[in-house]
Amino acid sequence: MPATYSGTGSTSTAGVWTAIVTVDGSDVSSRVVGEIRIDAEESSARTAEFTLRPAAGTSFAVANWVGKSVTIDIADNASGSPANVQRLFTGLIDTPTLNLVHRTIAILCTDDLQGKIDAMSNSAIDAAIPSSYYSNVIFNSAETGWRRAQDRLSTLASALDLDPSGSLRLTAWAAKVTPDLSFTNAHILDESPGLALASRTALINSIEIDFGYRFPRVKAEGYPITYSYVTSSTIAAHVAAGNWFLLRSSVEAAIKAAGGTIQSISYDALPNTTIGTFTPGPYDSLSCMGFTAVVSFDYAQQIEEQYTITVSAPNSIAAVGTLPDKMQGALEGVYPQVVAAENSMTLYRNDVSGIPPMDLATPTSGYTTAADVTLTTDTNRAAAQNAMQTLIQVAKTRIAGSHRHNYVTASVPLNPSLDLPLTVDINVPGLHAVGKVRTVAHVLSPETGQAVTQFSLAISSVAGVGVTHSDTPNTAPAGTSPGSTELTGSPTAVFNYGPSDDHLITVTFPGVADAERNRAIVPLSSSYSAGLPEDILTITL
């Protein structure tokens, strides 16, 4: 890409140029008075300003100007005819301003960047900003158009704007390895180079993200219980004393009365032969000498994972100290209320309801086991991880953006190729810099013949050229997983079998431990490094 334009001259040859301005398709170049100025800045609308002096007697109506199309080109006019025509601006008239004394119209134009993006569908915006992150947890999903584009851009170290012809483009902030243009003292206009260094307070090199994720887990306690009140060796005495036998149905009723669900149960059958005063009967199968069972209890527990995520640029911190910032986010898993979920599980386990609950934990004898539940797509684990990844990337982008506040400025004879996506190398006495173009201004004066391009480069620099700022992949922080814990208490059974007793059996189970049922707050921490480029910036005083 040439460092000069034939219409405005080279290092050894003067140029002859002409500006071609059209309004609503009509060439108004001959009516232009004073300067023509076109300004472009990263992720902003390109603007143009010029003044027209209409023919005497021309009537003015707002409808004939506002919103009309405008194009501005520059051409090499050395031969007397326009050649090497280059587009500088494509847009619409935003504001016409009349000067009744001089009978001129000052025209302010815009390339309508925001309007064009507002007219795009969400899918088209997403496609125009690939590799960006998006989370309905972090951003407002109702936002469309320009706001949606800004949300996506906040996760990407890139600029979105329109080229001089009005086409949408996405450009990475990072300077290219090989510059598109190289300027030396032979190209740069005298006394135009300038340098503005970022203030320390403008830098951010450490961001702490607080993120809370709250959701329920279902749990099941599997209590083993063994009970015996009589044996074959004591059954004769048991009968002789007039004692009663335990009904199997009473066992099951007692377990259900205690709130438990029988997972498995086996009974110690009465003997099938006569032993002393005991004689087998036809209904012995309804009774037992004892039982062995596994009984489960279902409930739910709220889990609150509290993440502290640190995103930082360690080499920047080493160079200028810690310059912190904070971000936060939260998500709550959408699920039925805990009480309703517990009732659903209990009714289903005990065959009271045929409607299965959404989720159940699998009971294991001697343990409390937990299981994840089925949350909505917008609130499940994947949604939480995506939200955290989005926040991490927003933090990285903010850190990277704050380190681009070193600006190198200069002016050259107007070069229409000099535009925002380019990487430029400036090497003049006392200054060598390589960076991406941040702003461009083309200033043309048809009356004086002057045509200049003013530009600035965004230079990312803090720790020095050659320093590598490593970047940690945006893997979501690991959350908690459902597990199992060993039960500590033991159930008991008491059967009142005496001849004058009520002949009832009572089964008692330990209460649920607070740690198993109360809200569990789990602190989790992780850290990530934000990658930064170190652009060339060498200053010799």
Side-chain angles (χ1 to χ4, degrees):
M1 188 174 293
T4 58
Y5 172 63
S6 61
T8 54
S10 64
T11 55
S12 59
T13 307
V16 179
W17 60 272
T18 187
I20 304 172
V21 181
T22 70
V23 174
D24 199 22
S26 298
D27 190 333
V28 296
S29 306
S30 62
R31 297 293 178 181
V32 174
V33 293
E35 284 188 349
I36 302 170
R37 183 181 179 93
I38 298 111
D39 287 281
E41 183 175 356
E42 287 179 333
S43 293
S44 299
R46 187 179 298 252
T47 61
E49 298 175 83
F50 57 90
T51 301
L52 297 178
R53 179 176 286 118
T58 299
S59 61
F60 177 89
V62 172
N64 293 335
W65 295 92
V66 176
K68 297 303 180 182
S69 63
V70 172
T71 63
I72 302 175
D73 297 323
I74 188 171
D76 183 345
N77 207 39
S79 66
S81 298
N84 195 9
V85 179
Q86 301 278 335
R87 178 59 50 89
L88 299 179
F89 180 82
T90 302
L92 305 171
I93 295 177
D94 182 74
T95 308
T97 302
L98 277 72
N99 186 317
L100 298 180
V101 175
H102 296 99
R103 298 187 183 280
T104 59
I105 306 173
I107 305 293
L108 174 62
C109 308
T110 173
D111 66 3
D112 197 29
L113 172 64
Q114 183 169 343
K116 289 187 176 182
I117 293 178
D118 279 337
M120 296 170 64
S121 66
N122 285 352
S123 59
I125 291 171
D126 297 348
I129 314 175
S131 302
S132 59
Y133 287 72
Y134 193 86
S135 166
N136 290 335
V137 179
I138 307 305
F139 304 125
N140 183 355
S141 60
E143 299 283 7
T144 60
W146 178 256
R147 186 62 256 171
R148 184 181 181 90
Q150 297 312 298
D151 287 341
R152 282 198 168 272
L153 284 171
S154 70
T155 71
L156 199 63
S158 297
L160 183 70
D161 45 58
L162 300 177
D163 67 16
S165 296
S167 297
L168 195 65
R169 64 189 177 186
L170 183 73
T171 309
W173 289 344
K176 301 171 187 173
V177 175
T178 302
D180 299 290
L181 290 173
S182 296
F183 294 129
T184 64
N185 218 34
H187 308 96
I188 302 295
L189 297 179
D190 291 344
E191 299 184 0
S192 70
L195 175 66
L197 297 179
S199 66
R200 181 177 182 274
T201 55
L203 294 174
I204 300 171
N205 55 27
S206 180
I207 297 179
E208 185 177 287
I209 302 169
D210 293 325
F211 186 83
Y213 183 39
R214 187 164 55 195
F215 58 93
R217 281 199 176 106
V218 291
K219 291 189 167 184
E221 294 182 336
Y223 276 101
I225 179 171
T226 298
Y227 176 70
S228 175
Y229 66 98
V230 67
T231 65
S232 296
S233 62
T234 62
I235 196 166
H238 185 84
V239 173
N243 294 323
W244 285 54
F245 288 113
L246 178 60
L247 292 175
R248 300 184 183 196
S249 59
S250 296
V251 174
E252 296 176 15
I255 291 173
K256 290 183 179 180
T261 300
I262 299 172
Q263 294 297 319
S264 64
I265 190 166
S266 61
Y267 295 97
D268 298 330
L270 273 63
N272 57 11
T273 59
T274 298
I275 302 175
T277 56
F278 171 77
T279 302
Y283 302 107
D284 286 354
S285 61
L286 301 179
S287 301
C288 65
M289 295 191 296
F291 64 91
T292 298
V294 175
V295 178
S296 68
F297 293 84
D298 293 283
Y299 55 95
Q301 181 183 34
Q302 284 283 357
I303 311 294
E304 184 171 335
E305 297 174 346
Q306 295 181 344
Y307 294 86
T308 300
I309 304 168
T310 303
V311 182
S312 64
N315 289 333
S316 173
I317 292 173
V320 298
T322 302
L323 300 167
D325 202 353
K326 279 185 170 291
M327 296 170 59
Q328 62 183 8
L331 176 62
E332 182 163 3
V334 174
Y335 199 71
Q337 291 291 325
V338 167
V339 173
E342 291 177 346
N343 289 336
S344 175
M345 291 186 288
T346 300
L347 293 174
Y348 180 75
R349 292 280 204 194
N350 291 287
D351 299 324
V352 177
S353 170
I355 302 174
M358 291 180 64
D359 304 283
L360 286 169
T362 302
T364 301
S365 179
Y367 290 88
T368 297
T369 56
D372 285 327
V373 299
T374 307
L375 301 172
T376 61
T377 302
D378 288 339
T379 65
N380 61 15
R381 172 68 64 180
Q385 291 179 328
N386 180 56
M388 287 185 280
Q389 287 176 310
T390 300
L391 284 171
I392 291 167
Q393 190 57 34
V394 170
K396 287 184 175 182
T397 303
R398 290 181 63 182
I399 290 173
S402 77
H403 285 73
R404 299 178 72 239
H405 289 169
N406 302 293
Y407 303 135
V408 171
T409 59
S411 299
V412 295
L414 193 145
N415 186 344
S417 298
L418 186 52
D419 200 11
L420 300 175
L422 302 190
T423 295
V424 173
D425 182 326
I426 296 178
N427 197 346
V428 296
L431 174 66
H432 183 204
V434 179
K436 180 191 171 298
V437 177
R438 184 183 70 91
T439 63
V440 173
H442 300 302
V443 183
L444 305 86
S445 177
E447 294 176 356
T448 65
Q450 292 183 329
V452 175
T453 296
Q454 304 161 350
F455 65 95
S456 68
L457 307 180
I459 305 296
S460 177
S461 179
V462 64
V465 177
V467 175
T468 300
H469 298 265
S470 60
D471 186 84
T472 306
N474 283 14
T475 304
T480 60
S481 299
S484 62
T485 54
E486 191 171 354
L487 293 170
T488 56
S490 300
T492 60
V494 177
F495 174 41
N496 302 323
Y497 52 76
S500 60
D501 291 337
D502 56 14
H503 311 136
L504 296 178
I505 180 172
T506 302
V507 183
T508 304
F509 294 89
V512 177
D514 289 345
E516 297 287 356
R517 188 162 197 161
N518 294 348
R519 176 178 294 176
I521 297 177
V522 186
L524 300 166
S525 62
S526 57
S527 60
Y528 298 78
S529 293
L532 294 174
E534 283 286 346
D535 294 332
I536 294 175
L537 179 61
T538 303
I539 304 167
T540 304
L541 299 178

